[in-house]
C-alpha cells in the first residue's frame, strides 16, 4: 500500500519517543508533529534529522484503513493497545 498524500495520520495519532526537530522530547499520541505542514506533508521527509521510527513506518491497510479519518482512528487504537500503562 502507498501512503495517501496529505493524510498525516502517522504524524498525529501515535506517540513518538524519539527527538524530532522542534520537539526534543518526541510527541505524545494525538498531538500533531511540528514538522507536519498545513497540507499534511512531512517537512523533514528524507532528511537525516527525521526520526528512524518515522522513516521505518510503512503504510498498511491494517493501520491506515481506507481513508485518512480511518487511519487516525486505527493508529489511535493501535497506540492504546500497545502503550504501557
Amino acid at each position: 500500500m502507498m501512503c495517501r498524500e496529505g493524510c498525516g495520520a502517522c504524524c498525529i495519532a501515535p506517540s513518538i519517543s524519539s527527538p524530532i526537530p522542534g520537539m526534543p522530547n518526541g510527541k505524545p499520541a494525538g498531538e500533531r508533529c511540528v514538522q507536519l505542514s498545513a497540507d499534511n506533508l512531512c517537512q523533514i521527509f528524507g532528511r537525516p534529522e527525521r526520526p528512524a521510527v518515522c522513516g521505518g513506518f510503512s503504510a498498511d491497510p491494517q493501520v491506515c484503513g481506507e481513508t485518512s479519518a480511518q487511519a487516525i482512528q486505527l493508529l489511535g487504537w493501535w497506540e492504546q493497545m500497545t502503550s504501557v500503562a
Side-chain angles (χ1 to χ4, degrees):
M1 170 180 187
M2 297 293 293
C3 285
R4 286 183 289 276
E5 188 169 334
C7 173
C10 61
C11 302
I12 300 169
S15 61
I16 298 175
S17 59
S18 304
I20 302 165
M23 300 179 103
N25 298 315
K27 68 167 229 51
E31 183 175 317
R32 186 178 180 86
C33 178
V34 299
Q35 296 299 330
L36 188 61
S37 70
D39 53 354
N40 288 339
L41 298 174
C42 178
Q43 298 179 108
I44 56 172
F45 186 85
R47 294 175 56 186
E49 58 269 28
R50 184 175 182 219
V53 68
C54 299
F57 180 80
S58 295
D60 184 278
Q62 289 187 352
V63 295
C64 299
E66 295 182 19
T67 66
S68 297
Q70 282 184 352
I72 290 282
Q73 291 176 330
L74 289 167
L75 285 165
W77 180 83
W78 281 108
E79 175 72 29
Q80 289 176 350
M81 294 298 109
T82 59
S83 42
V84 179

